[in-house]
Amino acid sequence: MNRRRVHLAVATVIVALSSLMTVTTAHAAGSATVFYKTGWNPANIHYGINGTWTSVPGVAMDTACTGWKKKTIDLGTATTFQVTFNNGSGTWDNNQGRNYTIGTGTTVVQNGVVTGNAPDPCVTATPSPSPSPSPSPSPSASPSASPSAQGRATVFYYKKTRGWSSAKIHYQPTGGSWTTVPGIDMDEETCADWAKKTVDLGGATGLKAAFNNGSGTWDNNNGADYSIGTGTTTVKDGVVRGNAPEPCTPEPPDTTAPSVPTGLAATASGTTVTLTWTASADNVGVTGYEISRAKGEETPVVRSSSGTSYKESGLDARTAYTYKVRALDAAGNKSAYTDAVSVKTGDGPPPVTQGTPLGGDPRKDSIYFVMTARFYDGDTSNDRGGSQNIRSGNAANNDPMFRGDFKGLIEKLDYIKALGFSAIWITPVVLNRSDYDYHGYHGWDFYRVDTRLETPGHTYQDLINKAHAKGLKIYQDVVYNHSSRWGARGLFVPPVYGVRDEQWKWMYSRKESGREYDPMEEHQGDDPGMTAAQNQMAKGRPYNGDLWSTEEPAGNTCRNWGTPTQYSSPEGYRIYNCQWPSPTSGMFPAKYYHQCWIGNWEGEDSRSCWLHDDLADFNTENAEVQKYLIDAYNRFIDMGVDGFRIDTAIHIPRVTWNRRFLPAIYDRVKEKFGEDKAKDFYVFGEVAAFVNDKWNRGSVNHSAQFYTWKERKDYSADDEKAAIEQYTYEEQLGTGNQPTSTNAFLSGNAYHAPDHSKFSGMNIIDMRMHMNFSDAQNAFNNGKDSDDSVNDATYNAVYVDSHDYGPNKSSNRYAGGTDAWAENMSLMWTFRGIPTLYYGSEIEFQKGKQIDCGPTCPLATTGRAYYGDKIEGTVTASGYGEVSGASGPVATTLGQPLVKHLQRLNQIRRAIPALQMGQYSTEGVSGSMAYKRRYTSGSTDSFVLVTVSSGATFTGIPNGTYVDAVTGDRKTVTDQTLSIGLNGKGNMRAYVLDQAGNPAPGKIGADGPYLK
């Protein structure tokens, strides 16, 4: 019998074997009395006689004496039968999937060991000094057992798992004394990986034992010691098998097929079919079932299940299907199929309406950046803490890492619009896989949305559609550079060595045929086969039995498979080769993944090596990898997202972006939605140059602006060769021979049509300004300095801090003060580029706090803290930056001075096209942060003069009337000069030229603490 979660009932039981004794049986040959050692109350015995099983969970056993349950069963003409035990609440002991084979007479089952023809364990018996020959052995006994073996125990111990070269056995015969520490050598001749010792027990019925390597490393069964009986016993990875065949002698092949499943039934609900059946029996144990599904004359489809039920969804509506099921065992034997059953599906769900990008120039937008899992919790049912929930301190705060979700984001769209934003950048949405993956950057299945973000009626598609309905764009964070450390499902998932020995069984789930990783199903720490400490470590960990293999798989490329290393885990457990993914282990094939660690962050290897041990670096120059990623992200383009923020863009060669990924994005959007939408699809890359100079330590290949340009020569057709050629060519040309642009600059006072003919398709996050935003003046000066080397800096995404760093590569969120934040915002919202704000910065949320500490501290103490408490309540946005109603904590948040400042800045920027899309100039301008901007297109002509925090004088400007958008002040210019008096950090003036056909908007919004 197999069960979805099988647990051995051995946690509180001391491992000991009863001896085989000559007793007078009290039962006829047609019956069996079974004694079961357990702490369960109640306990059930579920058994099968000649293939016919009792109904689950079986029949209740009677209490025989303390710690023992008993049941007498009529076998009829049968001489053996199959048995499993359970506690009636879903916890099973099925002999690790093999079932127990029990014969007639009295049988004792204790800690996985079957003793046939045994005395009643509830009656104290005196062993015979010279045991008489035993009756014929039960089916589970070793065929080689003989009367002469009853006075001794032959013990085999498996050394390989622990990496021991030799072993000692320290033992105590029943009723006797322990050997002297460390025991005696297990030095009898045997095969590799095993140690052997035969112990003379005299009149003893068994022994307790612990094992060690003679150098202080022990295996004492987690403090319980091992209990071993007479005859031959094997001890392997914490499992004792009594009456066992010698491990060095191959066991006879299992050629007996399981019995045919019975009671197959099928029901349909919509396009979902559910199958159930009664379990099969097997002489060793059923390991799973194959389900054959047929539709008309089509070739049947075969699926698998580990239990006695199966469900599949997404079938064709109103269609007849036939199913049949057969059982499998560990030896590969298969039963015959059941008779087929037929079922007809019902109506399918209504078709999903895919979204359409909103379109429009992305420079018209301002962007609000949220970490979805940390923003707002709309549905607590999908909250998940993961395996680090307790260690991190999140559990103590009732703050699981996956807390926010799409439902929460949908519910707070009006909050974001009320701030004045028209675009939302969200962290990656693909299914992640790691111990601490709430951020989304450990993608495992790039074709699925993470189940911890979605709930029925609030899917990713629902978020896109509902955001669009409110006039809000969705920019999806995407990762092309790396997958999770466990690979990428559908491309390559590395086999991982994962022996379930006493050290590591908390880490590795028992393998279950057909079962896959699902982060919504977390281990709850209730496995009686593990200690309390092991259950604690396993708690929150999703099923991972789909990854690991103890035996070396066919075609394995990882070197030294399963051999112990010199390293240990923090708990002191020995780490084995191939246990943890690594680029240098041979575990990953070179055609899919790079094979090295980064040594020089400004060197070529930064584009072709791993960043970190949990970021497996794709070989993005391989065509199969390229197709996997392109096809994956095409699915999200088809859903109607409005743009991609590209993570770790600098770690992929520009030539690969320009040849493969960027054209693929453009072509797919054009194919689905037309050329105009393709041009408006905003792609902005994280080219992380964490320095304060124009060129990243002199390396053009590692400077942000480099990625905005097309290639200027031809390279080899092979992408890997081309990457090296491009790196060498551009590096030799150096910083002085890179292309320049005037696309961001006015020509005097005139706007000119930008030249995007050499544009790569990738815009950039403005790393130069970000790194220098310790104060606004510094950011302004440095930003201007880089703009001539960017294809078009008016498309730069500009922010002060993010989920990774604050200015100057600080590990903390910005803490410059409220006035400084107001000044930063006034600059960002009026200077060239697209202003971007990290969630919570509108109220200086978590200012000065460490942004990220991994699982070493609670998220509540970091810059990635949960924001939902600040926005509880209701809010209705009547427009961008406009609130028609709010209640609860969100009303308090919206009333904060910095929020009022932000709302007005968004209103002003939206009303003046030059502040959105205009080129700029500081020619003829005096003042610390002062500039003129203009945008001309068709009938639109927008010209504005801006100064931030202090006064300025503008000379050589067009004559005419200028109206300030902040105060409404009007100034008439007749001598091409306009002077502005201003004193106030964060305050600003924006004088708009009032023209026929393009009138100045006048004063926009109400005075606040900064704009006044």
Side-chain angles (χ1 to χ4, degrees):
M1 287 292 294
N2 260 338
R3 286 290 178 268
R4 188 166 178 78
R5 288 190 179 275
V6 179
H7 302 289
L8 297 180
V10 298
T12 59
V13 185
I14 297 175
V15 184
L17 294 178
S18 299
S19 64
L20 293 174
M21 295 183 173
T22 304
V23 295
T24 303
T25 179
H27 301 283
S31 67
T33 298
V34 181
F35 287 87
Y36 181 62
K37 180 71 171 178
T38 181
W40 291 340
N41 192 21
N44 299 316
I45 181 171
H46 178 47
Y47 59 90
I49 303 173
N50 294 327
T52 301
W53 283 79
T54 55
S55 299
V56 175
V59 297
M61 301 184 75
D62 304 319
T63 298
C65 59
T66 301
W68 288 94
K69 298 291 183 177
K70 170 184 177 182
K71 195 65 181 178
T72 299
I73 297 164
D74 186 357
L75 300 183
T77 59
T79 57
T80 63
F81 65 119
Q82 295 276 298
V83 171
T84 67
F85 305 92
N86 64 85
N87 69 349
S89 300
T91 301
W92 288 78
D93 172 6
N94 65 0
N95 194 22
Q96 296 186 313
R98 298 187 297 269
N99 301 336
Y100 293 101
T101 300
I102 295 177
T104 57
T106 299
T107 299
V108 170
V109 181
Q110 184 175 3
N111 304 320
V113 177
V114 174
T115 304
N117 299 308
D120 185 332
C122 295
V123 176
T124 302
T126 302
S128 169
S130 302
S132 301
S134 298
S136 298
S138 69
S140 62
S142 169
S144 62
S146 65
S148 61
Q150 300 307 304
R152 64 176 185 264
T154 300
V155 183
F156 287 86
Y157 182 78
Y158 192 65
K159 302 178 298 181
K160 181 179 179 181
T161 301
R162 294 184 174 272
W164 294 353
S165 59
S166 60
K168 293 178 181 290
I169 181 171
H170 176 50
Y171 66 91
Q172 177 194 38
T174 304
S177 302
W178 284 90
T179 57
T180 302
V181 173
I184 61 175
D185 291 327
M186 300 185 72
D187 53 6
E188 296 178 24
E189 184 176 352
T190 185
C191 55
D193 304 330
W194 289 88
K196 175 185 178 183
K197 192 66 178 178
T198 301
V199 177
D200 187 356
L201 297 177
T205 58
L207 59 97
K208 280 189 176 182
F211 304 90
N212 65 86
N213 66 351
S215 300
T217 302
W218 286 80
D219 172 10
N220 64 358
N221 194 25
N222 288 321
D225 298 325
Y226 292 100
S227 291
I228 297 172
T230 55
T232 300
T233 299
T234 61
V235 181
K236 181 178 180 181
D237 302 334
V239 177
V240 175
R241 186 177 178 188
N243 297 313
E246 290 204 9
C248 303
T249 303
E251 294 189 49
D254 175 13
T255 59
T256 303
S259 63
V260 178
T262 58
L264 178 62
T267 58
S269 175
T271 57
T272 297
V273 167
T274 301
L275 303 177
T276 58
W277 60 89
T278 300
S280 297
D282 186 68
N283 64 314
V284 177
V286 175
T287 58
Y289 298 87
E290 282 186 354
I291 300 98
S292 172
R293 183 199 74 204
K295 181 178 73 171
E297 299 299 319
E298 294 182 7
T299 302
V301 175
V302 177
R303 297 287 186 260
S304 62
S305 173
S306 59
T308 56
S309 65
Y310 177 75
K311 178 186 288 187
E312 63 176 340
S313 305
L315 299 171
D316 294 339
R318 297 185 173 277
T319 301
Y321 291 89
T322 57
Y323 291 87
K324 51 188 180 180
V325 178
R326 64 181 175 185
L328 297 78
D329 65 18
N333 300 308
K334 300 179 180 181
S335 74
Y337 272 116
T338 62
D339 292 336
V341 298
S342 297
V343 64
K344 186 174 182 179
T345 56
D347 293 329
V352 174
T353 302
Q354 290 190 328
T356 300
L358 289 180
D361 195 314
R363 295 173 297 177
K364 293 181 178 180
D365 302 302
S366 56
I367 304 171
Y368 191 69
F369 171 34
V370 302
M371 296 194 79
T372 309
R374 307 302 302 156
F375 187 60
Y376 188 74
D377 194 0
D379 188 339
T380 58
S381 69
N382 59 0
D383 292 358
R384 291 297 182 274
S387 64
Q388 305 301 303
N389 195 36
I390 296 172
R391 177 193 170 206
S392 64
N394 292 337
N397 292 329
N398 192 27
D399 182 28
M401 60 166 183
F402 262 94
R403 190 170 178 183
D405 47 37
F406 292 146
K407 185 175 188 291
L409 191 49
I410 289 169
E411 291 177 0
K412 297 305 173 183
L413 291 174
D414 265 31
Y415 170 75
I416 295 171
K417 187 170 183 177
L419 295 175
F421 293 96
S422 52
I424 308 170
W425 158 19
I426 61 173
T427 40
V429 304
V430 302
L431 182 64
N432 267 231
R433 187 164 193 174
S434 77
D435 285 342
Y436 214 51
D437 53 6
Y438 65 94
H439 43 68
Y441 296 99
H442 293 170
W444 185 68
D445 189 340
F446 286 68
Y447 286 72
R448 289 181 61 194
V449 174
D450 201 297
T451 51
R452 293 164 289 187
L453 296 175
E454 293 190 312
T455 48
H458 301 90
T459 64
Y460 187 34
Q461 187 69 68
D462 292 324
L463 169 63
I464 295 168
N465 294 347
K466 292 180 181 181
H468 286 175
K470 291 184 179 293
L472 300 174
K473 294 180 179 179
I474 295 294
Y475 294 149
Q476 178 181 328
D477 210 322
V478 294
V479 184
Y480 287 78
N481 176 64
H482 58 263
S483 70
S484 76
R485 74 187 334 158
W486 308 113
R489 186 173 184 269
L491 179 70
F492 177 77
V493 176
V496 181
Y497 180 75
V499 62
R500 293 196 81 249
D501 60 12
E502 283 304 304
Q503 298 182 88
W504 291 107
K505 64 182 178 183
W506 61 272
M507 175 76 176
Y508 295 105
S509 308
R510 291 185 177 89
K511 192 179 294 291
E512 298 179 27
S513 176
R515 188 177 178 190
E516 293 187 343
Y517 164 74
D518 182 353
M520 289 293 289
E521 295 184 12
E522 293 185 344
H523 181 73
Q524 298 304 308
D526 56 357
D527 189 335
M530 296 194 296
T531 66
Q534 289 172 331
N535 267 305
Q536 187 82 326
M537 289 188 289
K539 192 170 184 179
R541 191 173 297 279
Y543 173 77
N544 63 11
D546 56 327
L547 288 177
W548 62 269
S549 172
T550 302
E551 301 302 322
E552 183 171 358
N556 168 59
T557 58
C558 184
R559 292 178 285 276
N560 302 313
W561 179 268
T563 59
T565 70
Q566 60 181 311
Y567 305 107
S568 297
S569 72
E571 299 83 12
Y573 301 151
R574 179 67 62 207
I575 293 175
Y576 302 95
N577 280 305
C578 308
Q579 187 174 12
W580 297 105
S582 163
T584 57
S585 65
M587 187 178 290
F588 290 84
K591 74 172 184 174
Y592 295 133
Y593 284 90
H594 290 136
Q595 306 287 296
C596 52
W597 298 106
I598 290 180
N600 178 6
W601 288 85
E602 278 74 47
E604 196 284 327
D605 57 339
S606 76
R607 310 183 310 160
S608 57
C609 296
W610 288 36
L611 304 174
H612 198 271
D613 62 358
D614 55 6
L615 305 177
D617 199 83
F618 283 130
N619 179 6
T620 47
E621 287 63 67
N622 175 270
E624 288 183 59
V625 174
Q626 293 166 358
K627 185 178 189 307
Y628 176 85
L629 292 167
I630 289 168
D631 289 351
Y633 289 128
N634 280 348
R635 296 164 66 91
F636 297 107
I637 290 172
D638 295 351
M639 294 173 74
V641 297
D642 302 277
F644 286 159
R645 181 268 187 182
I646 298 178
D647 181 71
T648 51
I650 194 173
H651 298 293
I652 295 176
R654 185 182 75 179
V655 68
T656 305
W657 285 114
N658 289 348
R659 281 183 173 185
R660 309 303 175 197
F661 297 131
L662 295 172
I665 293 171
Y666 183 89
D667 292 345
R668 186 65 170 200
V669 180
K670 180 180 177 180
E671 174 192 346
K672 297 293 291 186
F673 307 111
E675 188 168 10
D676 287 344
K677 294 290 177 68
K679 291 178 179 178
D680 292 337
F681 192 88
Y682 185 48
V683 177
F684 58 114
E686 180 202 25
V687 184
F690 296 124
V691 293
N692 294 327
D693 55 1
K694 182 173 183 176
W695 296 99
N696 187 356
R697 296 186 177 92
S699 174
V700 295
N701 282 278
H702 296 86
S703 301
Q705 61 268 37
F706 181 77
Y707 278 74
T708 65
W709 297 94
K710 287 182 178 178
E711 303 309 327
R712 44 185 171 162
K713 74 179 297 291
D714 294 330
Y715 301 106
S716 298
D718 179 83
D719 286 349
E720 186 172 351
K721 291 180 180 178
I724 301 295
E725 292 168 358
Q726 180 228 45
Y727 179 88
T728 303
Y729 175 76
E730 295 289 354
E731 210 70 2
Q732 289 175 346
L733 286 176
T735 61
N737 293 298
Q738 294 302 309
T740 59
S741 169
T742 61
N743 285 338
F745 306 117
L746 293 173
S747 178
N749 294 315
Y751 178 87
H752 62 91
D755 178 8
H756 293 149
S757 62
K758 297 179 181 178
F759 175 51
S760 66
M762 183 188 295
N763 300 289
I764 53 172
I765 294 170
D766 198 320
M767 284 289 165
R768 187 93 187 272
M769 291 192 73
H770 167 48
M771 284 290 97
N772 288 279
F773 249 122
S774 53
D775 64 82
Q777 183 70 62
N778 198 37
F780 175 63
N781 293 339
N782 279 274
K784 288 188 302 176
D785 182 49
S786 292
D787 286 352
D788 64 346
S789 59
V790 180
N791 183 269
D792 191 342
T794 66
Y795 286 87
N796 287 5
V798 182
Y799 58 61
V800 174
D801 61 1
S802 72
H803 59 321
D804 288 325
Y805 293 106
N808 292 318
K809 206 178 181 183
S810 168
S811 297
N812 301 328
R813 286 191 77 156
Y814 182 74
T818 310
D819 288 354
W821 254 121
E823 185 176 57
N824 291 341
M825 290 180 180
S826 292
L827 175 65
M828 287 194 294
W829 262 255
T830 57
F831 188 45
R832 59 96 184 114
I834 302 171
T836 303
L837 196 73
Y838 184 38
Y839 80 96
S841 293
E842 62 270 27
I843 59 170
E844 298 177 271
F845 181 62
Q846 299 295 92
K847 65 180 179 181
K849 296 293 181 64
Q850 183 179 1
I851 293 172
D852 175 33
C853 62
T856 64
C857 72
L859 280 166
T861 65
T862 72
R864 298 177 176 183
Y866 177 65
Y867 192 57
D869 297 338
K870 305 295 184 183
I871 50 177
E872 287 285 0
T874 61
V875 58
T876 302
S878 53
Y880 299 100
E882 300 173 358
V883 181
S884 61
S887 64
V890 69
T892 302
T893 295
L894 289 169
Q896 298 300 304
L898 202 55
V899 171
K900 295 296 185 184
H901 181 63
L902 174 63
Q903 289 172 315
R904 195 174 185 205
L905 283 172
N906 268 314
Q907 292 168 1
I908 290 172
R909 188 176 187 274
R910 292 184 65 83
I912 303 172
L915 296 181
Q916 303 165 30
M917 300 166 288
Q919 295 163 344
Y920 77 95
S921 174
T922 58
E923 181 183 352
V925 179
S926 67
S928 297
M929 285 183 285
Y931 35 90
K932 52 188 177 182
R933 298 192 66 186
R934 192 167 205 156
Y935 176 73
T936 305
S937 178
S939 61
T940 299
D941 183 15
S942 176
F943 185 70
V944 62
L945 311 174
V946 178
T947 185
V948 176
S949 294
S950 61
T953 298
F954 298 81
T955 61
I957 61 173
N959 290 330
T961 299
Y962 291 79
V963 184
D964 180 25
V966 177
T967 64
D969 179 53
R970 301 174 68 88
K971 292 183 183 292
T972 300
V973 174
T974 59
D975 60 356
Q976 295 186 305
T977 301
L978 187 151
S979 294
I980 302 171
L982 178 66
N983 185 17
K985 193 167 187 176
N987 202 355
M988 75 163 194
R989 296 290 181 262
Y991 279 86
V992 181
L993 179 61
D994 193 30
Q995 307 177 76
N998 289 279
K1003 181 177 181 177
I1004 301 170
D1007 288 351
Y1010 299 103
L1011 297 180
K1012 55 188 176 181

